[in-house]
Amino acid sequence: FSESGVPQLVQPMIWDYAADLDVEGKVHLVEKYRRCGFSKVWFASAFKGATGVNQSLTLIGHHLKNHLQWLKVASNSPADVLEGIALTGWQRYDHFSVLCELLPVAIPSLAVCLQALKNGGYSEKIKENVEKLLGMSNLETEAFMR
């Protein structure tokens, strides 16, 4: 496959929005891409819009867990293989559905996910930082915000 020249022209993107994504399976997938000649891969997560067809509010905890799992994949993969991570934010659960989780209700989730990626994890201190940045007194990650 590497003789085709394709690995020098493209970088694969591995998509998974699950809160419990299979870290070991993704690490093996990264290794397979490396063996095929791809020097870089991308990961794709979601900060909103991937949890239900009629979801109106964003369950931050689901997306935070997804990003924490991606951090585990990155830390268990060769250091030079990850080109980046695309944080997707879907407006529709699928092409035939109504709009869901509009951006304004998902901004806290985006902030939490970005801070978790930036800091390599999530803690009470990071939560307090996000609350301060957003001007919120109590950021709820495990239930819907009031």
Side-chain angles (χ1 to χ4, degrees), residues 64 68 71 112 115-117 119-131 139 141:
L64 173 59
L68 295 176
L71 285 170
V112 164
Q115 286 298 309
L117 292 175
N119 291 286
Y122 193 72
S123 66
E124 188 62 31
K125 177 135 178 60
I126 293 169
K127 177 182 182 260
E128 290 169 8
N129 186 36
V130 172
E131 288 172 341
L139 179 66
T141 59

Side-chain angles (χ1 to χ4, degrees), residues 2-67:
S2 57
E3 301 83 38
S4 69
V6 171
Q8 288 70 44
L9 299 173
V10 299
Q11 295 176 336
M13 184 172 283
I14 304 170
W15 303 73
D16 198 324
Y17 309 139
D20 61 348
L21 74 82
D22 176 12
V23 171
E24 190 176 319
K26 294 294 184 273
V27 170
H28 288 307
L29 189 55
V30 169
E31 291 168 358
K32 282 183 182 180
Y33 280 126
R34 287 290 285 244
R35 286 195 304 273
C36 289
F38 293 98
S39 60
K40 299 286 186 182
V41 299
W42 288 78
F43 298 158
S45 63
F47 71 91
K48 75 174 192 84
T51 57
V53 67
N54 61 354
Q55 197 82 15
S56 58
L57 300 175
T58 303
L59 187 55
I60 297 170
H62 172 90
H63 300 290
L64 173 59
K65 288 173 188 164
N66 175 255
H67 286 89

